[in-house]
Amino acid sequence: MTPDSVLLSKFDLCLVPHHDQPPKRDNIFVTIGPPGLPPQKRQSDSHGGLILVGGRDEKSHVWRTAELIVQIETLLKRQADIKWTITSSPRTPGECENRLQAVADLHSNVTFYRAQDTQAGWVEAAYAANAMAWVTADSISMIYEALTAGCRVGILPVKWKHANNKFQRSIDYLVHQKLIMTYAQWLDNLASTVRPAALDEASRCAEEIIRRWWPDRLP
């Protein structure tokens, strides 16, 4: 997070995500996204896919369950050979969870888990077990978690209340770097333009800290 400007000089080092558009200062190290936990050992199923659903946030976007269900149904129909796992989040409206469960009930290759029914560490294990992850655009932390875990990541759009917000800036940057694909790109069969993720921002930040204060400890 970027500290308030009046406090910025009080920090020796700030690790600030690119989408915060931080000023250029000696005590700011810009990251691609929020540093995440190191990925678990991957045992991904090339025929496994994960769909991560966010939810309401009155400040940032308008939640549209009907549109999301259409997008997910399209994914399932066009990639019927994939074993899909869908999960909600604490922000997901109950009526959306009910619709997701109904979708799963119609497809033998789809399993739905409500967020409240999953244990700590469940989603990290799911990242490691699936080669592909689709994430709603409002769930920015899960986008970076999936990238750090080595998943190929697709973005399900939401209706933003303000177009130039930091979430969309972050997504635009990742698309430009070809680290993720949008739903529109996928519909246009451009999924092959996305290169495999190789994010490990936590290690990059740790190396920067060592470089600044203990350079003799670098390999």
Side-chain angles (χ1 to χ4, degrees), residues 67-140:
E67 291 184 11
L68 174 66
I69 296 299
V70 170
Q71 294 161 7
I72 290 176
E73 285 278 20
T74 303
L75 284 173
L76 301 182
K77 289 176 182 177
R78 285 182 54 168
Q79 296 185 299
D81 58 325
I82 289 179
K83 183 178 179 180
W84 291 99
T85 299
I86 305 176
T87 187
S88 60
S89 75
R91 293 185 293 107
T92 309
E95 52 87 16
C96 182
E97 290 185 314
N98 293 338
R99 294 283 299 275
L100 293 169
Q101 183 62 67
V103 168
D105 292 342
L106 292 174
H107 300 271
S108 60
N109 63 324
V110 180
T111 305
F112 172 62
Y113 295 91
R114 295 174 188 262
Q116 61 266 33
D117 296 331
T118 61
Q119 299 177 342
W122 182 91
V123 72
E124 288 79 11
Y127 292 138
N130 292 278
M132 179 71 205
W134 281 91
V135 189
T136 56
D138 60 299
S139 302
I140 199 71

Side-chain angles (χ1 to χ4, degrees), residues 13 32 37 40 44 48-49 69 94 101 104 108 137 157 161-162 184 191 197 217:
L13 180 63
I32 295 176
L37 293 173
Q40 295 189 10
S44 63
I69 296 299
Q101 183 62 67
S108 60
K161 291 187 175 180
H162 305 285
R217 298 186 186 180

Side-chain angles (χ1 to χ4, degrees), residues 110-184:
V110 180
T111 305
F112 172 62
Y113 295 91
R114 295 174 188 262
Q116 61 266 33
D117 296 331
T118 61
Q119 299 177 342
W122 182 91
V123 72
E124 288 79 11
Y127 292 138
N130 292 278
M132 179 71 205
W134 281 91
V135 189
T136 56
D138 60 299
S139 302
I140 199 71
S141 61
M142 290 195 290
I143 292 172
Y144 283 101
E145 287 170 4
L147 283 171
T148 301
C151 298
R152 291 172 62 85
V153 178
I155 305 299
L156 296 169
V158 299
K159 175 65 175 177
W160 299 115
K161 291 187 175 180
H162 305 285
N164 186 30
N165 63 78
K166 69 177 183 179
F167 291 168
Q168 189 58 52
R169 288 198 301 268
S170 187
I171 289 170
D172 290 343
Y173 176 81
L174 294 173
V175 170
H176 180 72
Q177 296 297 317
K178 297 184 177 181
L179 291 172
I180 63 174
M181 63 180 163
T182 65
Y183 182 72

